[in-house]
Amino acid sequence: MGNKTNGLLALLGLGALAYWKYKKSTPEQQQVVKDKINTAKDNLNRWGNDLKDKATDVASQAQNKFEEVKAKTEDSPSNI
């Protein structure tokens, strides 16, 4: 068995253990776990949106630069 398989089995084992502990815990403890998961999801979504915004900014800046250079080249006499 390769490292990937062992890693996957370890992850599955941890997941099963976590699930078992979750099922055995009180509703209050389960709510804490749910809150942590939701907070993590929100943070991931926020991070993803930040990355999208940054990518859009960079793309529009690049587009503006391209338009500037294009305009300058078109304005200069081309038959020198």
Side-chain angles (χ1 to χ4, degrees), residues 2-73:
N3 278 346
K4 281 187 180 174
T5 312
N6 290 343
L8 193 61
L9 287 174
L11 200 61
L12 282 173
L14 279 175
L17 181 66
Y19 182 74
W20 179 78
K21 281 177 95 171
Y22 174 78
K23 281 293 174 200
K24 290 231 170 251
S25 59
T26 65
E28 291 84 11
Q29 289 169 324
Q30 288 184 3
Q31 191 55 53
V32 168
V33 171
K34 284 179 191 169
D35 291 345
K36 280 185 185 172
I37 289 171
N38 286 332
T39 303
K41 269 191 211 165
D42 290 345
N43 289 341
L44 265 178
N45 287 338
R46 209 170 298 125
W47 186 64
N49 289 335
D50 285 352
L51 279 182
K52 273 188 225 155
D53 292 346
K54 283 192 181 89
T56 305
D57 288 350
V58 168
S60 63
Q61 283 171 11
Q63 183 65 38
N64 292 343
K65 272 277 181 254
F66 175 74
E67 295 296 333
E68 267 177 48
V69 171
K70 194 173 149 198
K72 281 180 189 163
T73 348

